[in-house]
């Protein structure tokens, strides 16, 4: 570990891990372990040590890691989530009403599709690097049981990755329903062990609501559809989360909110995104980045993070997930996308 750490220090990596894992903190944390699952600093930082192109480079092997290794997690969380300090606390869940958010693109000129997701951990289980094969199976069976209780628009089927037809899997990935396999950031974090055991996807009949099992988080709950009706997509996700929350106890921390494997997803764990075409703004990348920063939005490629934009379609989402309620997170994203569309119209007219 000492050697890989030295390599990171000497590298040109721009990761938050490199920035915040000073020698002093490294020496302080390198011999610590979490009380219940005995996870170590190495578990937390292995992804960033292997992948110098990480934006963050840090994961929590279990819930206790956020406390035991707080000297590293806290400054990373503060910087990623734009100012969520050590002394700050995630507010109580407050979902509000999707109907408050008007359709962002009623004429269908810019937004290809809208997606809202959140992550959940099942209370009592650690995260990926500490999960045994039988834990993955137990998590899957708990989730399946809960999924079978879903009714009406959420009703659907669970498809395990094990034994899934290759063509079916490829189609699900191409349709942006299913996660990709072989993410090197996750693999280096110890999140691909026993793959594909215990992994799978639940899909409702209209294919606008899905639940991922044991990818990065124990549970990912997702709603999506074509167009820009953010309120409707949000409501569908919230109703799904609430229904599953009646069956499964989610892991939540007083201060950090819903606990997730990656510190970028703590708090509400909500990522609301649009696939959007802004051809004139895209021609002024500096202006676009400046606006994104102002609105606290993150710009990714078409096939999710670490991907490129295809046909000028970008994936734009809220960057912060913690320190605000669910409702405020969606509002921040909604108002930011609205602002970008206004700027696009101005850029076109100019
Ligand atoms: N570890 C990766 C990086 O630092 C991903 C970070 C956020 N994304 C995620 N899926 N958790 O670039």
């Amino acid at each position: 570990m000492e050697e890989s750490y030295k390599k990171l220090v000497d590298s040109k990596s721009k990761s938050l891990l490199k920035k915040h894992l000073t020698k002093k903190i490294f020496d302080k944390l390198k011999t610590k372990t979490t009380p219940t699952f005995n996870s170590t600093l190495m578990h937390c930082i292995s992804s960033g040590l292997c992948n110098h192109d990480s934006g963050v480079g840090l994961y929590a092997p279990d819930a206790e890691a956020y406390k035991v290794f707080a000297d590293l997690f806290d400054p990373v969380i503060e910087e990623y989530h734009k100012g969520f300090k050590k002394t700050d606390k995630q507010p109580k869940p407050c979902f509000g009403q999707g109907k408050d958010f008007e359709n962002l693109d009623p004429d269908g000129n810019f937004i290809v599709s809208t997606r809202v997701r959140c992550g959940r951990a099942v209370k009592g289980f650690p995260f990926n690097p500490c999960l045994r094969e039988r834990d993955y199976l137990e998590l899957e069976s708990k989730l399946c049981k809960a999924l079978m209780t879903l009714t009406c628009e959420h009703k659907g089927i669970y498809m395990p990755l094990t034994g899934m037809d290759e063509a079916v899997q490829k189609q699900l990935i191409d349709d942006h329903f299913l996660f990709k396999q072989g993410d090197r950031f996750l693999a280096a974090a110890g999140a691909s062990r026993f793959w594909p055991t215990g992994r799978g996807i639940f899909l409702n009949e209209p294919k606008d609501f899905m639940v991922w099992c044991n990818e990065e988080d124990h549970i990912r709950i997702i709603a999506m559809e074509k167009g820009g009706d953010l309120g409707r997509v949000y409501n569908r996700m919230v109703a799904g989360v609430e229904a599953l929350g009646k069956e499964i106890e989610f892991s939540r921390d007083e201060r950090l909110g819903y606990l997730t494997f990656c510190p970028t997803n703590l708090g509400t764990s909500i990522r609301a995104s649009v696939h959007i075409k802004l051809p004139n703004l895209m021609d002024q990348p500096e202006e676009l980045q400046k606006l994104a920063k102002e609105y606290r939005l993150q710009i990714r490629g078409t096939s999710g993070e670490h991907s490129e934009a295809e046909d000028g379609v970008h994936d734009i989402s809220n960057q912060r997930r913690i320190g605000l309620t669910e409702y405020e997170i969606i509002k921040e994203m909604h108002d930011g996308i609205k602002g970008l569309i206004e700027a696009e119209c101005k850029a076109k007219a100019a």
Side-chain angles (χ1 to χ4, degrees):
M1 179 163 74
E2 300 268 352
E3 212 164 280
S4 312
Y5 173 62
K6 204 173 165 297
K7 274 194 190 140
L8 177 71
V9 171
D10 294 339
S11 77
K12 289 202 179 81
S13 173
K14 293 195 184 78
S15 68
L16 296 183
L17 175 69
K18 178 180 169 191
K19 179 165 169 191
H20 295 290
L21 187 60
T22 58
K23 181 82 176 97
K24 200 168 147 211
I25 291 182
F26 180 82
D27 286 333
K28 180 173 168 196
L29 299 182
K30 68 182 176 191
T31 52
K32 298 210 172 189
T33 54
T34 61
T36 309
F37 295 101
N38 296 313
S39 64
T40 63
L41 179 64
M42 189 59 187
H43 284 115
C44 304
I45 67 176
S46 58
S47 188
L49 291 183
C50 284
N51 297 290
H52 288 180
D53 57 344
S54 294
V56 183
L58 183 61
Y59 293 88
D62 57 50
E64 291 163 348
Y66 283 115
K67 296 206 169 80
V68 173
F69 304 105
D71 289 327
L72 174 59
F73 277 103
D74 284 343
V76 169
I77 291 169
E78 178 169 347
E79 181 162 350
Y80 180 87
H81 295 280
K82 315 276 179 217
F84 182 86
K85 295 197 186 59
K86 226 156 80 176
T87 45
D88 287 336
K89 224 178 117 181
Q90 173 63 17
K92 287 208 174 63
C94 174
F95 289 100
Q97 299 281 339
K99 67 168 165 43
D100 295 355
F101 305 108
E102 83 233 42
N103 190 321
L104 281 161
D105 184 24
D107 300 326
N109 294 325
F110 309 99
I111 298 180
V112 181
S113 62
T114 302
R115 179 183 191 268
V116 184
R117 64 83 162 151
C118 72
R120 289 290 186 268
V122 180
K123 198 167 175 186
F125 286 80
F127 304 141
N128 286 299
C130 303
L131 289 175
R132 298 162 299 181
E133 190 163 16
R134 63 170 188 269
D135 297 322
Y136 278 108
L137 290 168
E138 198 181 328
L139 282 164
E140 184 184 42
S141 102
K142 270 186 196 299
L143 179 57
C144 279
K145 233 172 106 191
L147 288 167
M148 290 314 127
T149 68
L150 297 180
T151 55
C152 305
E153 66 165 344
H154 294 94
K155 199 169 152 358
I157 53 162
Y158 178 75
M159 295 175 277
L161 225 57
T162 305
M164 186 183 285
D165 185 82
E166 247 177 65
V168 171
Q169 185 173 347
K170 183 174 178 303
Q171 192 59 52
L172 288 170
I173 294 172
D174 291 348
D175 289 339
H176 303 285
F177 295 151
L178 181 62
F179 45 85
K180 288 183 286 181
Q181 202 161 327
D183 179 304
R184 68 189 154 88
F185 300 87
L186 284 178
S192 308
R193 292 153 50 253
F194 316 114
W195 194 279
T197 298
R199 276 72 169 198
I201 178 180
F202 171 91
L203 200 57
N204 72 342
E205 278 154 25
K207 299 191 168 142
D208 57 13
F209 174 77
M210 52 226 79
V211 179
W212 292 353
C213 182
N214 285 323
E215 186 240 13
E216 175 170 328
D217 288 307
H218 300 160
I219 309 175
R220 284 279 177 100
I221 302 159
I222 304 151
M224 61 193 249
E225 67 184 38
K226 297 257 176 288
D229 196 342
L230 176 65
R232 191 164 67 189
V233 176
Y234 177 58
N235 276 346
R236 192 182 315 120
M237 187 208 71
V238 170
V241 175
E242 287 180 336
L244 292 176
K246 291 198 177 108
E247 307 293 321
I248 294 174
E249 190 178 350
F250 300 136
S251 174
R252 197 179 154 89
D253 179 82
E254 236 328 290
R255 181 182 152 240
L256 297 173
Y258 289 107
L259 291 177
T260 51
F261 183 37
C262 182
T264 63
N265 288 320
L266 291 165
T268 63
S269 82
I270 286 184
R271 192 172 100 89
S273 58
V274 288
H275 273 181
I276 188 168
K277 288 188 188 185
L278 302 165
N280 293 287
L281 272 186
M282 299 299 171
D283 280 347
Q284 309 166 26
E286 272 163 36
E287 176 65 12
L288 178 64
Q289 285 302 337
K290 193 186 117 215
L291 285 172
K293 200 167 170 203
E294 246 173 68
Y295 291 126
R296 296 186 161 112
L297 295 171
Q298 186 185 63
I299 305 180
R300 298 180 176 181
T302 320
S303 297
E305 62 184 337
H306 315 114
S307 79
E308 297 297 320
E310 294 155 29
D311 301 329
V313 178
H314 282 78
D315 173 314
I316 306 188
S317 58
N318 56 299
Q319 165 134 26
R320 305 202 274 181
R321 322 219 194 287
I322 196 170
L324 307 171
T325 66
E326 286 74 2
Y327 184 81
E328 289 164 338
I329 294 276
I330 296 291
K331 181 153 173 43
E332 179 163 277
M333 182 273 189
H334 178 272
D335 296 351
I337 299 292
K338 197 172 156 181
L340 285 188
I341 292 178
E342 279 163 16
E344 167 66 18
C345 294
K346 266 194 213 138
K348 188 176 176 191

